[in-house]
Amino acid sequence: MLAILLVLLLVLLLFGAGFAVKILWWVAIAVLVLWLLGFLMRGTTAAGGRGRWYRW
């Protein structure tokens, strides 16, 4: 009985990790798209078109 519970717990952990990794991929894609948009739109500033779009 204990072995079955351990196997089920392992399966649940692996399924949860796989789901989390898939979510992280979608988040990474969204951040990449936002970064690319910011990079392409950086020339549309009032300072002659050569301003930075980030504040680092």
Side-chain angles (χ1 to χ4, degrees), residues 4 17 19 27-28 34 41 51-53 56:
I4 292 174
F19 186 71
V27 169
L34 288 174
M41 305 275 285
R52 287 185 277 171
W53 63 274
W56 304 341

Side-chain angles (χ1 to χ4, degrees), residues 12-30:
L12 284 174
L13 285 174
L14 291 176
F15 176 75
F19 186 71
V21 168
K22 188 170 184 171
I23 294 271
L24 288 175
W25 272 109
W26 283 111
V27 169
I29 289 171

